[in-house]
Amino acid sequence: MDTNRALTDKIALVTGAGRGIGRGIAERLARDGALVGVHYGKSEAAALEVVAEIRENGGRAFPVGAELGVPGDADAVFAAFDAGVREQTQGAAGAAAPLDILVNNAGVSGSGSLGQTDPEVFDRMIAVNAKAPLFLVQGALPRMRDGGRVINISSLASRHSFPESVAYAMSKGALDTLTLCLAKELGGRGITVNTVGPGFVETDMNARRRATPEARAALAAASVFDRIGKPSDVADVVAFLASDDSRWLTGQYLEVSGGSGL
Ligand code: NAP
């Protein structure tokens, strides 16, 4: 276990943390000392594996299961979160558990081009990628201690033209705007709100896009480092934003893409 304990006594909630980038973020925040709620939708077994791995490495974590993008999703997340924190703190936490760091990472992609987009796909992108984060922040705020952190995981797709997935890109644009609005509203409480916009990262999300060596090489070539990003490349930046070192940084969009598009 790393000796960097920048987040000792902090409580974090990472959505979509059973796999991919969210898993990397949960592992990193736990390594830095935070008690981490490992949220999942469908991947319960994977999330339990992440919790077990964090605990084996001397960290603290608990699972938080709830589907996002459905009515009552934020309430379900916080009911599971409160129960998990209570259990981990031997009931010391009240009915609404305290929270220091909310990472809105869970997301869906693959919405297709304009011609392929139908209203159901559009609604799904917005529901999971933009509406759920907004109501998760709303539910988080009464719990969040002053000096807290909201970190929204967006995508390069909101800043670069990405017509192959237009509804996805639009949903991430809405998330970026949420960051801007909240940063001003929450400044008085010392809460920072920032966006991280990853480029291509090796996860299930783009497995099909790197199915052949040629396709893989094309994704890698997007970065000046000529490789596809790893979840830890993103998680390390999130750890900085979660720490006190980033206290003077809010309302910002940090592109974490290995220099894609330069
Ligand atoms: P991933 O491997 O496909 O994982 C997606 C995560 O989101 C899973 O943990 C999944 O949880 C969760 N999720 C999706 N829909 C959900 C729902 N309806 N309810 C609850 N949880 C849900 O994707 P990833 O690459 O790690 O992506 C993480 C974030 O980074 C996303 O916001 C994505 O848009 C963004 N991003 C990724 C890339 C990339 O190249 N990979 C690039 C830019 C931005 P369950 O499996 O438990 O349902």
Side-chain angles (χ1 to χ4, degrees), residues 16 19 21 41-43 67-68 105 154 168 172 199 201 203 206:
R19 54 197 179 91
I21 295 172
K42 293 192 167 62
S43 304
E67 184 75 19
L68 300 177
N105 164 79
S154 179
Y168 171 74
K172 292 299 192 179
V201 180
T203 68
N206 52 36

Side-chain angles (χ1 to χ4, degrees), residues 15-23 25 39-44 46-47 66-70 104-109 124 128-129 153-157 168 172 175 196-206 210 219 228-229 231 234:
T15 65
R19 54 197 179 91
I21 295 172
R23 177 179 185 149
I25 294 170
H39 165 267
Y40 63 90
K42 293 192 167 62
S43 304
E44 181 178 13
E67 184 75 19
L68 300 177
V70 295
N104 280 313
N105 164 79
V108 278
S109 70
R124 178 92 187 128
V128 177
N129 296 348
I153 307 300
S154 179
S155 166
L156 215 65
Y168 171 74
K172 292 299 192 179
L175 186 63
V196 167
F200 293 119
V201 180
E202 190 152 350
T203 68
D204 297 340
M205 186 167 273
N206 52 36
R210 51 186 159 75
L219 290 197
I228 302 174
V234 179

